[in-house]
mmCIF file of all heavy atoms in Angstrom:
data_model
loop_
_atom_site.group_PDB
_atom_site.id
_atom_site.type_symbol
_atom_site.label_atom_id
_atom_site.label_comp_id
_atom_site.label_asym_id
_atom_site.label_seq_id
_atom_site.Cartn_x
_atom_site.Cartn_y
_atom_site.Cartn_z
ATOM 1 N N LYS A 71 85.755 78.458 95.233
ATOM 2 C CA LYS A 71 84.620 77.630 95.738
ATOM 3 C C LYS A 71 84.996 77.125 97.135
ATOM 4 O O LYS A 71 85.998 76.398 97.312
ATOM 5 C CB LYS A 71 84.352 76.450 94.802
ATOM 6 C CG LYS A 71 83.127 75.628 95.234
ATOM 7 C CD LYS A 71 82.912 74.472 94.275
ATOM 8 C CE LYS A 71 81.621 73.707 94.591
ATOM 9 N NZ LYS A 71 81.584 73.199 95.975
ATOM 10 N N LYS A 72 84.207 77.491 98.116
ATOM 11 C CA LYS A 72 84.418 77.005 99.509
ATOM 12 C C LYS A 72 83.511 75.797 99.686
ATOM 13 O O LYS A 72 82.525 75.612 98.985
ATOM 14 C CB LYS A 72 84.088 78.065 100.484
ATOM 15 C CG LYS A 72 84.993 79.281 100.439
ATOM 16 C CD LYS A 72 84.673 80.269 101.580
ATOM 17 C CE LYS A 72 85.662 81.428 101.618
ATOM 18 N NZ LYS A 72 85.407 82.369 102.706
ATOM 19 N N ALA A 73 83.851 74.996 100.649
ATOM 20 C CA ALA A 73 83.068 73.764 100.933
ATOM 21 C C ALA A 73 81.631 74.141 101.199
ATOM 22 O O ALA A 73 81.328 74.990 102.032
ATOM 23 C CB ALA A 73 83.676 73.075 102.167
ATOM 24 N N GLY A 74 80.727 73.438 100.488
ATOM 25 C CA GLY A 74 79.296 73.658 100.717
ATOM 26 C C GLY A 74 78.704 74.856 100.021
ATOM 27 O O GLY A 74 77.511 75.174 100.222
ATOM 28 N N THR A 75 79.464 75.515 99.177
ATOM 29 C CA THR A 75 78.963 76.695 98.458
ATOM 30 C C THR A 75 79.203 76.506 96.944
ATOM 31 O O THR A 75 79.934 75.622 96.546
ATOM 32 C CB THR A 75 79.676 78.004 98.907
ATOM 33 O OG1 THR A 75 81.087 77.937 98.526
ATOM 34 C CG2 THR A 75 79.604 78.145 100.436
ATOM 35 N N SER A 76 78.543 77.342 96.176
ATOM 36 C CA SER A 76 78.702 77.312 94.737
ATOM 37 C C SER A 76 79.918 78.155 94.274
ATOM 38 O O SER A 76 80.439 78.983 95.083
ATOM 39 C CB SER A 76 77.469 77.833 94.040
ATOM 40 O OG SER A 76 77.207 79.176 94.425
ATOM 41 N N ARG A 77 80.362 77.973 93.105
ATOM 42 C CA ARG A 77 81.562 78.671 92.557
ATOM 43 C C ARG A 77 81.175 80.178 92.400
ATOM 44 O O ARG A 77 80.105 80.496 91.887
ATOM 45 C CB ARG A 77 81.976 78.131 91.215
ATOM 46 C CG ARG A 77 83.317 78.622 90.758
ATOM 47 C CD ARG A 77 83.711 78.021 89.429
ATOM 48 N NE ARG A 77 83.018 78.668 88.322
ATOM 49 C CZ ARG A 77 83.544 78.774 87.065
ATOM 50 N NH1 ARG A 77 84.690 78.261 86.804
ATOM 51 N NH2 ARG A 77 82.830 79.343 86.109
ATOM 52 N N LYS A 78 82.124 81.068 92.800
ATOM 53 C CA LYS A 78 81.901 82.500 92.669
ATOM 54 C C LYS A 78 83.141 83.137 92.063
ATOM 55 O O LYS A 78 84.273 82.635 92.206
ATOM 56 C CB LYS A 78 81.597 83.123 94.024
ATOM 57 C CG LYS A 78 80.361 82.582 94.702
ATOM 58 C CD LYS A 78 80.165 83.246 96.043
ATOM 59 C CE LYS A 78 78.921 82.707 96.751
ATOM 60 N NZ LYS A 78 78.764 83.289 98.137
ATOM 61 N N GLU A 79 82.963 84.269 91.371
ATOM 62 C CA GLU A 79 84.093 84.989 90.838
ATOM 63 C C GLU A 79 84.849 85.700 91.922
ATOM 64 O O GLU A 79 84.256 86.225 92.872
ATOM 65 C CB GLU A 79 83.618 86.005 89.790
ATOM 66 C CG GLU A 79 84.787 86.738 89.072
ATOM 67 C CD GLU A 79 84.352 87.703 88.024
ATOM 68 O OE1 GLU A 79 83.119 87.787 87.772
ATOM 69 O OE2 GLU A 79 85.224 88.385 87.467
ATOM 70 N N MET A 80 86.174 85.694 91.776
ATOM 71 C CA MET A 80 87.031 86.364 92.760
ATOM 72 C C MET A 80 87.057 87.887 92.437
ATOM 73 O O MET A 80 87.884 88.314 91.631
ATOM 74 C CB MET A 80 88.467 85.807 92.731
ATOM 75 C CG MET A 80 89.414 86.501 93.618
ATOM 76 S SD MET A 80 88.983 86.316 95.371
ATOM 77 C CE MET A 80 89.474 84.589 95.580
ATOM 78 N N THR A 81 86.231 88.627 93.022
ATOM 79 C CA THR A 81 86.220 90.071 92.908
ATOM 80 C C THR A 81 86.978 90.679 94.049
ATOM 81 O O THR A 81 87.328 90.017 95.050
ATOM 82 C CB THR A 81 84.760 90.598 92.869
ATOM 83 O OG1 THR A 81 84.142 90.276 94.175
ATOM 84 C CG2 THR A 81 83.941 89.944 91.749
ATOM 85 N N ASN A 82 87.237 91.978 93.993
ATOM 86 C CA ASN A 82 87.878 92.669 95.094
ATOM 87 C C ASN A 82 87.041 92.551 96.371
ATOM 88 O O ASN A 82 87.595 92.370 97.444
ATOM 89 C CB ASN A 82 88.108 94.163 94.743
ATOM 90 C CG ASN A 82 89.223 94.340 93.724
ATOM 91 O OD1 ASN A 82 90.122 93.464 93.612
ATOM 92 N ND2 ASN A 82 89.180 95.441 93.024
ATOM 93 N N THR A 83 85.754 92.693 96.216
ATOM 94 C CA THR A 83 84.844 92.609 97.384
ATOM 95 C C THR A 83 84.964 91.224 98.027
ATOM 96 O O THR A 83 85.070 91.117 99.244
ATOM 97 C CB THR A 83 83.369 92.874 96.940
ATOM 98 O OG1 THR A 83 83.285 94.155 96.362
ATOM 99 C CG2 THR A 83 82.460 92.790 98.143
ATOM 100 N N ALA A 84 84.917 90.200 97.227
ATOM 101 C CA ALA A 84 85.061 88.829 97.759
ATOM 102 C C ALA A 84 86.397 88.607 98.422
ATOM 103 O O ALA A 84 86.483 88.014 99.493
ATOM 104 C CB ALA A 84 84.790 87.815 96.673
ATOM 105 N N PHE A 85 87.437 89.097 97.780
ATOM 106 C CA PHE A 85 88.812 88.897 98.308
ATOM 107 C C PHE A 85 88.970 89.486 99.682
ATOM 108 O O PHE A 85 89.557 88.896 100.574
ATOM 109 C CB PHE A 85 89.844 89.536 97.337
ATOM 110 C CG PHE A 85 91.283 89.376 97.768
ATOM 111 C CD1 PHE A 85 91.939 88.209 97.584
ATOM 112 C CD2 PHE A 85 91.933 90.453 98.380
ATOM 113 C CE1 PHE A 85 93.276 88.047 98.015
ATOM 114 C CE2 PHE A 85 93.232 90.311 98.797
ATOM 115 C CZ PHE A 85 93.894 89.144 98.578
ATOM 116 N N PHE A 86 88.419 90.698 99.901
ATOM 117 C CA PHE A 86 88.583 91.356 101.182
ATOM 118 C C PHE A 86 87.686 90.817 102.280
ATOM 119 O O PHE A 86 87.803 91.284 103.429
ATOM 120 C CB PHE A 86 88.413 92.876 101.011
ATOM 121 C CG PHE A 86 89.538 93.519 100.312
ATOM 122 C CD1 PHE A 86 89.354 94.057 99.035
ATOM 123 C CD2 PHE A 86 90.821 93.622 100.902
ATOM 124 C CE1 PHE A 86 90.438 94.629 98.374
ATOM 125 C CE2 PHE A 86 91.868 94.201 100.232
ATOM 126 C CZ PHE A 86 91.647 94.709 98.964
ATOM 127 N N THR A 87 86.829 89.844 101.967
ATOM 128 C CA THR A 87 86.106 89.142 103.006
ATOM 129 C C THR A 87 86.847 87.887 103.486
ATOM 130 O O THR A 87 86.432 87.255 104.461
ATOM 131 C CB THR A 87 84.713 88.705 102.464
ATOM 132 O OG1 THR A 87 84.868 87.739 101.424
ATOM 133 C CG2 THR A 87 83.885 89.892 101.986
ATOM 134 N N PHE A 88 87.938 87.540 102.798
ATOM 135 C CA PHE A 88 88.686 86.356 103.158
ATOM 136 C C PHE A 88 89.522 86.601 104.430
ATOM 137 O O PHE A 88 89.886 87.722 104.741
ATOM 138 C CB PHE A 88 89.653 85.968 102.014
ATOM 139 C CG PHE A 88 88.993 85.244 100.849
ATOM 140 C CD1 PHE A 88 87.639 85.186 100.741
ATOM 141 C CD2 PHE A 88 89.759 84.700 99.864
ATOM 142 C CE1 PHE A 88 87.053 84.543 99.654
ATOM 143 C CE2 PHE A 88 89.201 84.045 98.803
ATOM 144 C CZ PHE A 88 87.828 83.959 98.687
ATOM 145 N N SER A 89 89.855 85.497 105.073
ATOM 146 C CA SER A 89 90.751 85.545 106.207
ATOM 147 C C SER A 89 92.175 85.733 105.598
ATOM 148 O O SER A 89 92.386 85.600 104.391
ATOM 149 C CB SER A 89 90.699 84.240 107.014
ATOM 150 O OG SER A 89 91.171 83.150 106.205
ATOM 151 N N GLY A 90 93.167 85.950 106.454
ATOM 152 C CA GLY A 90 94.532 86.143 106.013
ATOM 153 C C GLY A 90 95.026 84.936 105.252
ATOM 154 O O GLY A 90 95.661 85.014 104.224
ATOM 155 N N GLY A 91 94.710 83.741 105.776
ATOM 156 C CA GLY A 91 95.162 82.505 105.110
ATOM 157 C C GLY A 91 94.478 82.270 103.779
ATOM 158 O O GLY A 91 95.155 81.901 102.832
ATOM 159 N N GLU A 92 93.211 82.622 103.692
ATOM 160 C CA GLU A 92 92.494 82.470 102.445
ATOM 161 C C GLU A 92 93.024 83.450 101.372
ATOM 162 O O GLU A 92 93.122 83.124 100.203
ATOM 163 C CB GLU A 92 90.994 82.685 102.679
ATOM 164 C CG GLU A 92 90.329 81.532 103.418
ATOM 165 C CD GLU A 92 88.868 81.843 103.818
ATOM 166 O OE1 GLU A 92 88.512 83.022 103.883
ATOM 167 O OE2 GLU A 92 88.121 80.889 104.045
ATOM 168 N N LYS A 93 93.356 84.660 101.822
ATOM 169 C CA LYS A 93 93.919 85.640 100.892
ATOM 170 C C LYS A 93 95.254 85.117 100.339
ATOM 171 O O LYS A 93 95.540 85.268 99.139
ATOM 172 C CB LYS A 93 94.179 86.973 101.581
ATOM 173 C CG LYS A 93 92.873 87.776 101.859
ATOM 174 C CD LYS A 93 93.144 89.020 102.611
ATOM 175 C CE LYS A 93 91.901 89.814 102.875
ATOM 176 N NZ LYS A 93 92.120 91.078 103.652
ATOM 177 N N ALA A 94 96.034 84.514 101.228
ATOM 178 C CA ALA A 94 97.345 83.948 100.743
ATOM 179 C C ALA A 94 97.123 82.849 99.738
ATOM 180 O O ALA A 94 97.791 82.785 98.724
ATOM 181 C CB ALA A 94 98.116 83.451 101.941
ATOM 182 N N MET A 95 96.154 81.997 100.002
ATOM 183 C CA MET A 95 95.839 80.909 99.055
ATOM 184 C C MET A 95 95.379 81.463 97.719
ATOM 185 O O MET A 95 95.761 80.968 96.639
ATOM 186 C CB MET A 95 94.726 80.012 99.632
ATOM 187 C CG MET A 95 95.074 79.347 100.933
ATOM 188 S SD MET A 95 96.515 78.221 100.809
ATOM 189 C CE MET A 95 95.802 76.905 99.914
ATOM 190 N N ALA A 96 94.609 82.542 97.732
ATOM 191 C CA ALA A 96 94.061 83.146 96.523
ATOM 192 C C ALA A 96 95.184 83.763 95.703
ATOM 193 O O ALA A 96 95.091 83.825 94.453
ATOM 194 C CB ALA A 96 93.030 84.229 96.844
ATOM 195 N N MET A 97 96.258 84.141 96.309
ATOM 196 C CA MET A 97 97.395 84.717 95.581
ATOM 197 C C MET A 97 98.393 83.662 95.123
ATOM 198 O O MET A 97 98.837 83.660 93.982
ATOM 199 C CB MET A 97 98.107 85.766 96.463
ATOM 200 C CG MET A 97 97.280 87.025 96.679
ATOM 201 S SD MET A 97 98.181 88.314 97.536
ATOM 202 C CE MET A 97 98.334 87.579 99.205
ATOM 203 N N TYR A 98 98.755 82.789 96.063
ATOM 204 C CA TYR A 98 99.858 81.876 95.761
ATOM 205 C C TYR A 98 99.455 80.607 94.960
ATOM 206 O O TYR A 98 100.205 80.152 94.120
ATOM 207 C CB TYR A 98 100.512 81.422 97.069
ATOM 208 C CG TYR A 98 101.402 82.481 97.696
ATOM 209 C CD1 TYR A 98 100.995 83.087 98.869
ATOM 210 C CD2 TYR A 98 102.586 82.879 97.128
ATOM 211 C CE1 TYR A 98 101.782 84.125 99.474
ATOM 212 C CE2 TYR A 98 103.386 83.822 97.701
ATOM 213 C CZ TYR A 98 102.964 84.464 98.852
ATOM 214 O OH TYR A 98 103.753 85.408 99.380
ATOM 215 N N VAL A 99 98.243 80.086 95.213
ATOM 216 C CA VAL A 99 97.815 78.855 94.460
ATOM 217 C C VAL A 99 97.817 79.066 92.970
ATOM 218 O O VAL A 99 98.376 78.294 92.215
ATOM 219 C CB VAL A 99 96.466 78.347 94.989
ATOM 220 C CG1 VAL A 99 95.905 77.288 94.085
ATOM 221 C CG2 VAL A 99 96.639 77.810 96.411
ATOM 222 N N PRO A 100 97.140 80.167 92.475
ATOM 223 C CA PRO A 100 97.204 80.368 91.011
ATOM 224 C C PRO A 100 98.595 80.608 90.499
ATOM 225 O O PRO A 100 98.964 80.160 89.403
ATOM 226 C CB PRO A 100 96.326 81.643 90.809
ATOM 227 C CG PRO A 100 95.421 81.671 92.010
ATOM 228 C CD PRO A 100 96.261 81.114 93.111
ATOM 229 N N LEU A 101 99.426 81.356 91.268
ATOM 230 C CA LEU A 101 100.816 81.605 90.803
ATOM 231 C C LEU A 101 101.625 80.313 90.737
ATOM 232 O O LEU A 101 102.294 80.065 89.716
ATOM 233 C CB LEU A 101 101.489 82.602 91.757
ATOM 234 C CG LEU A 101 101.001 84.049 91.655
ATOM 235 C CD1 LEU A 101 101.684 84.894 92.734
ATOM 236 C CD2 LEU A 101 101.328 84.607 90.297
ATOM 237 N N PHE A 102 101.590 79.506 91.774
ATOM 238 C CA PHE A 102 102.350 78.255 91.769
ATOM 239 C C PHE A 102 101.869 77.343 90.647
ATOM 240 O O PHE A 102 102.696 76.716 89.963
ATOM 241 C CB PHE A 102 102.207 77.517 93.125
ATOM 242 C CG PHE A 102 102.909 78.195 94.252
ATOM 243 C CD1 PHE A 102 102.620 77.905 95.552
ATOM 244 C CD2 PHE A 102 103.911 79.153 94.025
ATOM 245 C CE1 PHE A 102 103.305 78.491 96.605
ATOM 246 C CE2 PHE A 102 104.554 79.793 95.075
ATOM 247 C CZ PHE A 102 104.246 79.435 96.378
ATOM 248 N N SER A 103 100.558 77.289 90.458
ATOM 249 C CA SER A 103 100.015 76.400 89.412
ATOM 250 C C SER A 103 100.402 76.911 88.037
ATOM 251 O O SER A 103 100.763 76.088 87.156
ATOM 252 C CB SER A 103 98.468 76.378 89.525
ATOM 253 O OG SER A 103 98.029 75.936 90.749
ATOM 254 N N ALA A 104 100.371 78.220 87.816
ATOM 255 C CA ALA A 104 100.791 78.782 86.533
ATOM 256 C C ALA A 104 102.221 78.536 86.194
ATOM 257 O O ALA A 104 102.600 78.138 85.066
ATOM 258 C CB ALA A 104 100.477 80.265 86.481
ATOM 259 N N VAL A 105 103.103 78.683 87.220
ATOM 260 C CA VAL A 105 104.522 78.439 87.020
ATOM 261 C C VAL A 105 104.768 76.956 86.703
ATOM 262 O O VAL A 105 105.518 76.632 85.806
ATOM 263 C CB VAL A 105 105.315 78.822 88.292
ATOM 264 C CG1 VAL A 105 106.748 78.360 88.196
ATOM 265 C CG2 VAL A 105 105.308 80.371 88.423
ATOM 266 N N TYR A 106 104.115 76.070 87.461
ATOM 267 C CA TYR A 106 104.317 74.640 87.243
ATOM 268 C C TYR A 106 103.810 74.280 85.811
ATOM 269 O O TYR A 106 104.526 73.534 85.083
ATOM 270 C CB TYR A 106 103.511 73.848 88.276
ATOM 271 C CG TYR A 106 103.591 72.388 88.040
ATOM 272 C CD1 TYR A 106 104.659 71.624 88.497
ATOM 273 C CD2 TYR A 106 102.556 71.657 87.395
ATOM 274 C CE1 TYR A 106 104.747 70.262 88.343
ATOM 275 C CE2 TYR A 106 102.658 70.329 87.208
ATOM 276 C CZ TYR A 106 103.721 69.611 87.695
ATOM 277 O OH TYR A 106 103.830 68.251 87.466
ATOM 278 N N ALA A 107 102.665 74.781 85.432
ATOM 279 C CA ALA A 107 102.135 74.443 84.093
ATOM 280 C C ALA A 107 103.080 74.947 82.999
ATOM 281 O O ALA A 107 103.272 74.331 81.961
ATOM 282 C CB ALA A 107 100.745 75.055 83.917
ATOM 283 N N LYS A 108 103.727 76.122 83.266
ATOM 284 C CA LYS A 108 104.652 76.653 82.259
ATOM 285 C C LYS A 108 105.875 75.794 82.218
ATOM 286 O O LYS A 108 106.430 75.487 81.131
ATOM 287 C CB LYS A 108 105.062 78.068 82.656
ATOM 288 C CG LYS A 108 105.903 78.822 81.656
ATOM 289 C CD LYS A 108 105.131 79.067 80.400
ATOM 290 C CE LYS A 108 105.934 79.894 79.422
ATOM 291 N NZ LYS A 108 105.235 80.109 78.112
ATOM 292 N N TYR A 109 106.359 75.311 83.346
ATOM 293 C CA TYR A 109 107.569 74.490 83.389
ATOM 294 C C TYR A 109 107.322 73.142 82.730
ATOM 295 O O TYR A 109 108.298 72.426 82.371
ATOM 296 C CB TYR A 109 108.047 74.285 84.838
ATOM 297 C CG TYR A 109 108.846 75.420 85.381
ATOM 298 C CD1 TYR A 109 108.910 75.673 86.762
ATOM 299 C CD2 TYR A 109 109.579 76.258 84.545
ATOM 300 C CE1 TYR A 109 109.669 76.711 87.314
ATOM 301 C CE2 TYR A 109 110.370 77.327 85.041
ATOM 302 C CZ TYR A 109 110.386 77.510 86.406
ATOM 303 O OH TYR A 109 111.135 78.547 86.915
ATOM 304 N N GLN A 110 106.064 72.710 82.632
ATOM 305 C CA GLN A 110 105.780 71.439 82.033
ATOM 306 C C GLN A 110 106.177 71.413 80.539
ATOM 307 O O GLN A 110 106.384 70.342 79.966
ATOM 308 C CB GLN A 110 104.263 71.159 82.100
ATOM 309 C CG GLN A 110 103.770 70.764 83.477
ATOM 310 C CD GLN A 110 104.259 69.422 83.938
ATOM 311 O OE1 GLN A 110 105.397 69.290 84.390
ATOM 312 N NE2 GLN A 110 103.465 68.395 83.761
ATOM 313 N N GLY A 111 106.380 72.577 79.981
ATOM 314 C CA GLY A 111 106.804 72.653 78.553
ATOM 315 C C GLY A 111 108.313 72.425 78.417
ATOM 316 O O GLY A 111 108.825 72.261 77.298
ATOM 317 N N GLY A 112 109.049 72.334 79.527
ATOM 318 C CA GLY A 112 110.488 72.101 79.448
ATOM 319 C C GLY A 112 110.806 70.620 79.482
ATOM 320 O O GLY A 112 109.958 69.745 79.633
ATOM 321 N N GLY A 113 112.062 70.308 79.308
ATOM 322 C CA GLY A 113 112.506 68.919 79.306
ATOM 323 C C GLY A 113 112.492 68.339 80.728
ATOM 324 O O GLY A 113 112.393 69.072 81.719
ATOM 325 N N ALA A 114 112.564 67.021 80.828
ATOM 326 C CA ALA A 114 112.527 66.355 82.119
ATOM 327 C C ALA A 114 113.678 66.761 83.013
ATOM 328 O O ALA A 114 113.545 66.695 84.269
ATOM 329 C CB ALA A 114 112.529 64.846 81.877
ATOM 330 N N ASP A 115 114.812 67.143 82.427
ATOM 331 C CA ASP A 115 115.979 67.503 83.247
ATOM 332 C C ASP A 115 116.139 68.973 83.466
ATOM 333 O O ASP A 115 117.160 69.424 83.995
ATOM 334 C CB ASP A 115 117.249 66.929 82.610
ATOM 335 C CG ASP A 115 117.455 67.454 81.176
ATOM 336 O OD1 ASP A 115 116.502 68.014 80.621
ATOM 337 O OD2 ASP A 115 118.547 67.297 80.622
ATOM 338 N N CYS A 116 115.118 69.779 83.060
ATOM 339 C CA CYS A 116 115.208 71.221 83.266
ATOM 340 C C CYS A 116 114.921 71.592 84.689
ATOM 341 O O CYS A 116 114.035 71.019 85.336
ATOM 342 C CB CYS A 116 114.198 71.928 82.357
ATOM 343 S SG CYS A 116 114.626 71.860 80.573
ATOM 344 N N PRO A 117 115.662 72.574 85.251
ATOM 345 C CA PRO A 117 115.387 73.030 86.594
ATOM 346 C C PRO A 117 114.065 73.689 86.693
ATOM 347 O O PRO A 117 113.616 74.374 85.764
ATOM 348 C CB PRO A 117 116.539 73.970 86.901
ATOM 349 C CG PRO A 117 116.952 74.437 85.567
ATOM 350 C CD PRO A 117 116.763 73.302 84.611
ATOM 351 N N ARG A 118 113.356 73.573 87.838
ATOM 352 C CA ARG A 118 112.091 74.239 88.052
ATOM 353 C C ARG A 118 112.242 75.033 89.324
ATOM 354 O O ARG A 118 111.876 74.613 90.442
ATOM 355 C CB ARG A 118 110.964 73.211 88.202
ATOM 356 C CG ARG A 118 110.863 72.323 86.942
ATOM 357 C CD ARG A 118 109.713 71.364 87.032
ATOM 358 N NE ARG A 118 109.645 70.555 85.823
ATOM 359 C CZ ARG A 118 108.586 69.797 85.515
ATOM 360 N NH1 ARG A 118 107.576 69.700 86.329
ATOM 361 N NH2 ARG A 118 108.576 69.069 84.390
#
């Protein structure tokens, strides 16, 4: 979802309309979030 627009599915067509920075965000933001959420299942003293 971009500012001022409605939510859309991330298709290949949509991805290739993104700028270089937006493409990076589309790849790294979900990955970082998924890793963090997975690490939440570990103890407080576990390395992340």
Side-chain angles (χ1 to χ4, degrees):
K71 185 180 185 303
K72 294 185 178 182
T75 66
S76 58
R77 191 180 79 151
K78 299 178 182 178
E79 184 178 357
M80 176 65 74
T81 61
N82 287 336
T83 302
F85 179 79
F86 287 112
T87 64
F88 282 11
S89 66
E92 289 173 337
K93 288 178 180 177
M95 299 298 287
M97 290 186 291
Y98 286 110
V99 168
L101 286 174
F102 290 163
S103 301
V105 170
Y106 178 82
K108 187 67 175 177
Y109 279 155
Q110 286 291 81
D115 58 346
C116 290
R118 303 183 179 193

